[in-house]
Every structure is written in C-alpha cells, then in structure tokens.
Amino acid sequence: MGRAPCCDENGLKKGPWTPEEDLKLTNYIQIHGPGNWRSLPKNAGLRRCGKSCRLRWTNYLRPDIKRGRFSLEEEDVIIQLHSILGNKWSAIAARLPGRTDNEIKNYWNTHIRKRLLRMGIDPVTHTPRLDLLDMSSILRSMLGNPSLLNMQGLLGAQVLMNQGLLKLASTASLLSTINNDENPNLASQNFVHSQVATTPPSLDSTQFQFQMPTNQTNNVEVEGFLGTVTNLSCSSSPSGDDKINLVLQQKNQVDLLGNHDVLVHSLYNAKNQNMGCDSVMRTPVSSPNRLNSSSNYVKSGTEEERESFCSDLFEFEIPESLDFADIFCNVPYTPIN
DNA sequence: AACGTCCTCAACCGCTGTAGA
DNA sequence: ATCTACAGCGGTTGAGGACGT
C-alpha cells in the first residue's frame, strides 16, 4: 500500500493562513502541545492537513521565533556554517536561536547568495570564482611583471592542484603584483602569507586538499605563496562538530569569508595608496563609509554599499593587444618535480 | 494612474529517515 | 525482513508588495 499524500483529501484548505486559523492552531497547541500532526487539525477544528499545521507552527507561530531582519552577527554565522554544512538549513537553524530553517534558507537564497556572487565568491564552495578572479590576477601578474609569476609552474600546478588552492594562489599573485608594481616595500606579500597561514584548518579541509603526489607538495611556484601551501596541505581534518565549534570560537579572528573580505580590504587599501591597480579595480574611493575602521570586514553601513563595492572590485580591462592563444597555447606543460 | 518587472518569503511538494507493527 | 505511518528536510512555487517606467 503506497503512502497517501497528506493533502489530497477533499475539502482541505491550502494557501495562506487566516488569523482565525492561526488562533485555533495556537490555542490547541498551547493546551495539548505540538505533535501528532496527523490528528491535530481534526481535533483543533482546522480544515488543513497535518503537514500544513506543523509547518505553520514551526515556521511562524512558535513563540520562540525571532522575527525581523537578520543581524550582521547572524549573517556571519550563517555564512560560516554554510561553508561547513552546505545546505543543511535545519542544522544551521539549530545554531541560530529563534530562526527557522525556512527563514535561513530564504535569506540565503535572496540575500547572501546574491551578495557572494557579486563579490565573485562561489556560494557553494565559498571560494573566489575562478572565472572572475583568476584570469584577472594571472593576466595582471603576467602583464605587470612577467618574471614575477612562474607561468609554466602555475600551469603545471593547475593540473595537479584543486581549484580552491589555485584560486588562492592567483589571489596571492594579484596582491604580489600590486605590491611589486609600484611599492615593493609594502607588506601585501607578507599579508597574504599571514592571512593564508592563519586560516583555521578547521574551515573545510576539502577546499584545500591537493591532488598531487607527495613528493610534489612543496613545489607550487607561485611567488608569495609557496611557503603556505605545505601548511594547508598538511592540515588536519577535525570532525564536523569540531569544525563548527572551532569556527564559531574563532569567528572574531579569521574566518573564511573574512579572509576574502580581508583580501578585498587589502586591495582596497592598495588602491587608495595609488598602488597602480586601476585596470584591475575601478572602485570609487569617494565614499567615506567603504570600510568599517574597527573591523577587517568590508561591512559598511548598508548592504547596497557592500555589494556595490564588491561588485566593482572585479571589473578589469583586458588590453586589446593581448593574444590569449599566444599566452596559453605556447606554454609547454612540464610536471613539477 | 496604469502597467510591467523584480523581489521577498510563506507555503507547498516530493523525497528521505525512522520507529513501530 | 518488510511494510506503513509519520516527522522532518531541502527545493521550488506563486501571491503580493515594491519599484521603475
């Protein structure tokens, strides 16, 4: 006998709940408590299926539900937990008192996901999008100072490394380029070192796993990045709960999105210091509210400001004279040993 | 004011996991 | 071991409000 759909009975109402229905449901649950959803609507005098009643209660009528906009704090937690748990909305909701999985899911899909996309961050992997970032950084590195980046090594590494590391490497190379183009004394290179090196190994070990033979681990030749590669590849892999706890504990120190934001911050500072990356960034500098001075995060007063800044960041121009075929087709592949 | 488009979010749908018979 | 009922989960939908023309 197959399972009968819970809502196919005649006369059962669907759609938005009326205040009267809410009242009936609330009154019934206050007296009898939640549960036994199958029989609840009949006993409560509701022409709804049990599933609809349960959803209405858990997502809307429950007294401990917190309504209203998500705070920045909550938003941070959602992003960090999502980077670990993925679309496990109920698990995320369990760590956000007063918020329902449905609410978090909606907020993710309508706000956070879009913002991450505009920032050039893949909302699934929580890493910079290769299609937006890597090309700009690689090209910039090559155009600005071809000797800076060992392209042959990088292309060789691309075969061996997963995308996440390559993205970080390209980001590092971009910063190195900015740094070396006009002001080699500034500390962006070290900054990248410290930021990557201090990334908690707990965040998501899968993002940093190499697919390379063990004897090649130390030979990713991206200037300013070499030293930290080994650290990441050797990181331990805590259990899921340990990861969550670690991330929450370290929330105010360094987090995954924070790293992206810090990178953005660094790029923004570099821009303000006339470090010669105009073709990479056309970020307007007039807004006094671009960065919160007390935070590493690019979290200015309004969502719009945050989004516009981050979307501007990845605008770049490709010189017409650049011949992609020449660059990418004539580089012989040599495995790194 | 009227219309069209976009955005938000409550609610639904379909599936999975699990307990109990 | 199998079947059934039920709760819960994640994905999707669509009504209605906001906004732009």
Side-chain angles (χ1 to χ4, degrees):
Chain A
M1 185 173 73
R3 186 187 319 180
C6 71
C7 298
D8 67 348
E9 298 158 61
N10 288 335
L12 287 187
K13 192 181 171 201
K14 290 164 70 172
W17 280 64
T18 64
E20 290 76 26
E21 288 176 312
D22 283 346
L23 191 63
K24 280 184 181 178
L25 181 58
T26 305
N27 287 340
Y28 182 87
I29 290 177
Q30 278 174 351
I31 295 169
H32 300 94
N36 201 2
W37 298 107
R38 187 81 165 182
S39 60
L40 184 148
K42 191 177 178 181
N43 296 335
L46 289 162
R47 300 174 67 81
R48 295 269 182 178
C49 70
K51 196 172 182 175
S52 181
C53 293
R54 179 176 54 80
L55 226 55
R56 182 65 179 171
W57 174 256
T58 55
N59 287 337
Y60 200 83
L61 295 175
R62 244 172 47 202
D64 57 333
I65 286 185
K66 190 195 294 181
R67 315 296 306 178
R69 283 186 65 86
F70 283 77
S71 66
L72 289 178
E73 186 82 2
E74 289 175 311
E75 201 173 294
D76 276 352
V77 172
I78 293 171
I79 291 169
Q80 290 170 17
L81 289 175
H82 186 274
S83 73
I84 300 164
L85 299 166
N87 294 358
K88 303 290 183 189
W89 306 117
S90 60
I92 295 172
R95 290 172 167 82
L96 277 171
R99 300 295 188 182
T100 69
D101 54 351
N102 206 37
E103 197 177 10
I104 293 169
K105 178 174 59 182
N106 282 333
Y107 191 69
W108 176 270
N109 287 327
T110 57
H111 294 89
I112 301 176
R113 187 175 171 276
K114 287 179 185 175
R115 184 184 310 146
L116 292 180
L117 284 170
R118 285 178 200 161
M119 291 170 69
I121 296 169
D122 186 334
V124 177
T125 63
H126 292 254
T127 57
R129 288 171 62 194
L130 192 60
D131 55 333
L132 291 177
L133 177 59
D134 289 4
M135 186 60 77
S136 68
S137 59
I138 291 169
L139 292 176
R140 181 68 192 170
S141 298
M142 295 174 65
L143 294 170
N145 187 351
S147 66
L148 184 65
L149 183 67
N150 184 335
M151 196 62 197
Q152 183 172 339
L154 183 58
L155 289 179
Q158 186 170 2
V159 178
L160 299 167
M161 299 191 312
N162 79 357
Q163 285 196 342
L165 179 66
L166 200 58
K167 291 166 192 170
L168 282 172
S170 63
T171 305
S173 71
L174 172 62
L175 287 175
S176 294
T177 304
I178 293 169
N179 201 19
N180 283 277
D181 271 356
E182 296 183 15
N183 194 343
N185 294 325
L186 290 176
S188 291
Q189 187 168 325
N190 291 334
F191 172 82
V192 172
H193 261 290
S194 64
Q195 287 304 315
V196 176
T198 54
T199 299
S202 60
L203 287 176
D204 187 352
S205 60
T206 61
Q207 292 176 3
F208 300 110
Q209 285 172 352
F210 297 102
Q211 298 173 342
M212 61 171 62
T214 53
N215 64 340
Q216 295 177 350
T217 303
N218 292 320
N219 294 310
V220 181
E221 296 181 37
V222 180
E223 186 165 327
F225 196 72
L226 183 62
T228 60
V229 166
T230 307
N231 292 341
L232 287 167
S233 69
C234 295
S235 63
S236 59
S237 181
S239 69
D241 277 351
D242 289 344
K243 288 182 187 179
I244 293 164
N245 291 333
L246 255 172
V247 167
L248 291 176
Q249 284 166 14
Q250 296 174 355
K251 186 168 136 25
N252 293 323
Q253 300 171 23
V254 178
D255 59 66
L256 188 57
L257 181 65
N259 279 342
H260 296 312
D261 286 347
V262 169
L263 288 174
V264 168
H265 189 167
S266 173
L267 290 166
Y268 178 74
N269 285 341
K271 162 75 179 180
N272 280 345
Q273 293 168 23
N274 298 318
M275 294 174 70
C277 50
D278 285 356
S279 67
V280 179
M281 301 181 295
R282 286 196 247 118
T283 308
V285 295
S286 58
S287 169
N289 201 22
R290 280 298 184 204
L291 289 168
N292 182 341
S293 61
S294 65
S295 168
N296 281 334
Y297 295 77
V298 182
K299 280 184 175 164
S300 52
T302 68
E303 191 168 307
E304 290 70 25
E305 284 171 335
R306 278 182 262 161
E307 291 183 3
S308 68
F309 167 58
C310 293
S311 61
D312 288 344
L313 175 67
F314 294 99
E315 289 185 31
F316 61 93
E317 296 165 354
I318 299 173
E320 290 180 5
S321 59
L322 186 63
D323 186 343
F324 286 96
D326 189 48
I327 293 170
F328 290 107
C329 297
N330 295 329
V331 179
Y333 166 64
T334 307
I336 307 168
N337 295 314

